[in-house]
Amino acid sequence: MIPINSQYGYSVARYFLLLSLVPLITAKGDDVESPEKIHDAEKPHSESQLDLRQVVFVIQSQRNSFHVQQAEKLRKDLLLQSQALQESPPVILHLHTLSDNEGDWSILPLLPYLSSQFGKNSSWIMFLEEDTRVKLQKLQEVLKKFDCRKEWFLGKPLHDEESTIIHHYAFSENPAVFEYPDFSAGWALSIPLVNRLTSKIEEEPLKSDFTIDLKHEVALYIWEDGKGPRLTGVPELCTLPEHNPRAQYCATTVSSHSPLCGQPVKSENIFVAVKTCKKFHSDRVPVVKKTWGKQASLLEYYSDYADPSIPTINLGVPNTERGHCGKTFAILRRFLSSHVPKTDWLLIVDDDTLISLPRLQALLSCYDSREPVCLGERYGYGLGQGGYSYITGGGGMVFSREAVVQLLASGCKCYSNDAPDDMVLGMCLNALRVPVTHSPLFHQARPEDYAREFLAHQTPISFHKHWNIDPIAVFNKWLKNGKHTEGLQKSTKEEL
């Protein structure tokens, strides 16, 4: 296993290795189909009616209690709509309940189950995020346009404007040529495609590798180096707010750009731990102090050198060039000690993490600190073969006190000081069967590394790395405003 370097992000060497394995294509001779061609291809066959029972909805739910509630609200709404349409209800599944396989959230390991259960009597598998809202009749009309006897991969297209590390620098000659779905808008696979992909998985088991940006990796697997279908863009699959006047044309919308479930958690109830080292005291720590550090009520800097001018605290763990497991576990132990004020929440960040604490406070209002909560941007390792999930460190790792108590009580520890802390924590949580909870509002990379339209419907909580950017300018543009409901990037072109 090649560890991910928590201090410096991803292992660059590993990504260049992956780059050599990802075929590069150019736009020449491989353009996305024109609307006219799509229209011709999607002319419905004689059985133009689509019964809702032919659609299987998979809500990409999570095991945390808040997310279970969100998924259940969506399920009930779909059932009420089908009742109003006087149709038999569709099958609606909560992804987290389908098996005990931790890798189900990465979708591909789930396809054989979906094929075996629904491969003969259904037409579509429609995937929805918990915040996706569906106008069932309009979606029904959209799906009728496509011949469900053929292979279709439908969604709202995203593309990279420049090659990015989170996509292994794929398609570096022309990143915009490859499109992948925005999961927030919902996305669909026709049953013939599900069945064929299942055969492929059964013949060639999924490789044990990293899952970093699921929507891009699923699209790559389906495209299969040009042998499989590309994503077909569906304009009616939208990420507009559900109450936006323009959303009348949409079959799907997004219910909230930034969650709030009550009064935001008080800043005095979040203890913030910043991991740093002596060589970054003069450049990275000042950025924290000039930006988000002012928003924290309780914050400590942990270093390999005690500098009273900052001040930093030396935990007695030597600095390592990669991985910071020893330092992170020392922080966990300190959090439960009498050396720091008792709080319900612990936030651990790198010294080059940029974060909005007011937005985090709003988000945490949705979670119960009495539960073992581990929150951030979820990655996976070896999910096709058992594997485990983990919160990637650069975007920020949030732990409830109960989660830290269970982690330390389990006896789980680092196998070396320079082990990748986020991955070790993921293995520990997996052994404890404590769920890793994903939020797309945390980001391991810079704003430039994400599709513009993906960020346009978010109110992001964090970004990571100072490489080739002005971090203060990035903070001011993306994270400075603390209002939880104010969307960013309003100038971005809206759907439809």
Side-chain angles (χ1 to χ4, degrees):
M1 181 180 77
I2 303 174
I4 285 185
N5 181 338
S6 297
Q7 181 72 22
Y8 298 101
Y10 318 107
S11 165
V12 174
R14 178 182 172 275
Y15 280 99
F16 278 109
L17 173 62
L18 283 170
L19 173 61
S20 68
L21 302 177
V22 178
L24 302 179
I25 64 173
T26 64
K28 183 178 180 181
D30 210 1
D31 293 328
V32 177
E33 289 183 305
S34 68
E36 292 79 9
K37 289 181 180 179
I38 292 175
H39 179 75
D40 290 340
E42 66 189 32
K43 287 179 180 177
H45 58 93
S46 57
E47 300 176 7
S48 60
Q49 297 303 309
L50 178 69
D51 192 306
L52 283 178
R53 289 176 296 181
Q54 295 173 254
V55 183
V56 177
F57 288 95
V58 179
I59 302 174
Q60 294 175 243
S61 56
Q62 303 188 64
R63 283 197 284 147
N64 175 272
S65 62
F66 165 66
H67 293 279
V68 171
Q69 293 169 11
Q70 294 297 97
E72 184 60 17
K73 286 180 184 177
L74 176 54
R75 187 186 73 87
K76 289 180 177 178
D77 180 68
L78 291 171
L79 291 176
L80 284 173
Q81 288 189 62
S82 62
Q83 186 178 8
L85 293 171
Q86 298 183 329
E87 287 206 36
S88 298
V91 175
I92 306 170
L93 307 174
H94 288 186
L95 185 150
H96 78 280
T97 67
L98 299 183
S99 80
D100 292 328
N101 179 20
E102 170 61 22
D104 279 356
W105 68 265
S106 63
I107 304 299
L108 298 178
L110 189 63
L111 294 183
Y113 168 82
L114 296 174
S115 177
S116 66
Q117 296 296 311
F118 309 106
K120 294 181 179 179
N121 300 317
S122 301
S123 299
W124 296 95
I125 307 291
M126 182 79 193
F127 295 90
L128 306 172
E129 290 201 333
E130 297 160 10
D131 290 334
T132 309
R133 291 295 172 263
V134 179
K135 298 174 186 176
L136 204 51
Q137 186 173 21
K138 190 169 286 290
L139 179 63
Q140 197 175 12
E141 294 168 0
V142 169
L143 293 178
K144 284 179 185 177
K145 298 177 184 178
F146 298 90
D147 185 348
C148 62
R149 299 170 301 178
K150 298 180 180 180
E151 294 189 1
W152 289 103
F153 176 26
L154 309 179
K156 177 191 173 182
L158 298 173
H159 69 268
D160 298 335
E161 295 188 14
E162 58 185 58
S163 61
T164 170
I165 193 169
I166 64 171
H167 296 154
H168 320 317
Y169 297 112
F171 310 106
S172 58
E173 293 182 12
N174 186 0
V177 75
F178 185 76
E179 293 183 322
Y180 51 97
D182 189 332
F183 281 180
S184 296
W187 55 290
L189 303 177
S190 63
I191 286 296
L193 178 56
V194 171
N195 291 339
R196 184 178 64 77
L197 292 174
T198 293
S199 298
K200 177 185 173 185
I201 291 168
E202 291 172 346
E203 293 171 6
E204 183 181 347
L206 297 166
K207 296 177 181 178
S208 180
D209 202 351
F210 289 93
T211 300
I212 291 175
D213 186 5
L214 179 63
K215 54 190 179 293
H216 189 271
E217 290 157 24
V218 165
L220 270 179
Y221 188 84
I222 292 172
W223 176 61
E224 198 178 355
D225 300 339
K227 296 189 287 290
R230 285 180 172 273
L231 178 69
T232 296
V234 178
E236 294 88 350
L237 298 181
C238 307
T239 52
L240 289 167
E242 57 184 329
H243 300 302
N244 188 306
R246 299 174 67 101
Q248 61 180 307
Y249 303 103
C250 297
T252 61
T253 55
V254 176
S255 67
S256 173
H257 287 186
S258 180
L260 181 69
C261 303
Q263 287 298 314
V265 169
K266 293 180 179 179
S267 62
E268 295 83 3
N269 206 14
I270 303 174
F271 186 83
V272 183
V274 181
K275 296 183 297 180
T276 188
C277 61
K278 185 177 181 180
K279 68 178 179 179
F280 294 132
H281 286 186
S282 62
D283 55 355
R284 293 186 180 179
V285 170
V287 172
V288 175
K289 291 192 170 189
K290 289 176 182 177
T291 56
W292 64 269
K294 302 179 213 177
Q295 302 169 340
S297 295
L298 300 169
L299 182 150
E300 288 185 343
Y301 297 92
Y302 298 110
S303 179
D304 57 339
Y305 175 75
D307 184 344
S309 68
I310 293 177
T312 58
I313 296 170
N314 185 351
L315 293 171
V317 179
N319 188 54
T320 54
E321 285 300 316
R322 55 183 177 182
H324 299 278
C325 196
K327 184 182 290 184
T328 296
F329 271 76
I331 291 170
L332 295 175
R333 291 190 291 269
R334 183 174 174 85
F335 176 69
L336 296 185
S337 75
S338 59
H339 294 294
V340 299
K342 186 175 181 179
T343 63
D344 288 339
W345 298 100
L346 169 65
L347 167 65
I348 301 179
V349 295
D350 292 348
D351 53 10
D352 57 350
T353 300
L354 299 169
I355 193 163
S356 168
L357 293 183
R359 294 178 192 171
L360 177 60
Q361 291 168 236
L363 178 65
L364 289 181
S365 70
C366 297
Y367 296 92
D368 187 346
S369 63
R370 296 169 296 182
E371 296 180 8
V373 179
C374 303
L375 175 68
E377 184 178 14
R378 177 180 56 189
Y379 282 6
Y381 179 75
L383 295 178
Q385 299 177 345
Y388 56 90
S389 306
Y390 62 98
I391 299 300
T392 181
M397 298 184 288
V398 182
F399 302 91
S400 65
R401 176 169 289 272
E402 180 60 23
V404 179
V405 167
Q406 291 192 25
L407 272 167
L408 295 182
S410 72
C412 191
K413 62 180 74 173
C414 305
Y415 54 83
S416 66
N417 280 336
D418 66 349
D421 54 352
D422 44 11
M423 296 182 75
V424 170
L425 287 168
M427 287 187 278
C428 296
L429 295 168
N430 187 56
L432 287 169
R433 298 200 58 75
V434 170
V436 163
T437 301
H438 173 68
S439 170
L441 305 180
F442 294 80
H443 303 88
Q444 166 72 15
R446 310 164 304 158
E448 289 86 341
D449 294 312
Y450 299 89
R452 185 182 303 173
E453 287 204 14
F454 174 68
L455 295 180
H457 60 80
Q458 289 190 349
T459 305
I461 285 176
S462 71
F463 292 103
H464 178 226
K465 300 188 82 59
H466 294 177
W467 180 66
N468 276 1
I469 61 168
D470 177 347
I472 295 177
V474 168
F475 176 82
N476 289 338
K477 177 180 179 180
W478 291 95
L479 301 167
K480 187 174 183 179
N481 193 306
K483 293 181 181 179
H484 62 275
T485 56
E486 182 165 331
L488 301 176
Q489 301 299 290
K490 292 180 180 178
S491 61
T492 300
K493 183 177 69 175
E494 292 189 281
E495 296 103 321
L496 302 172

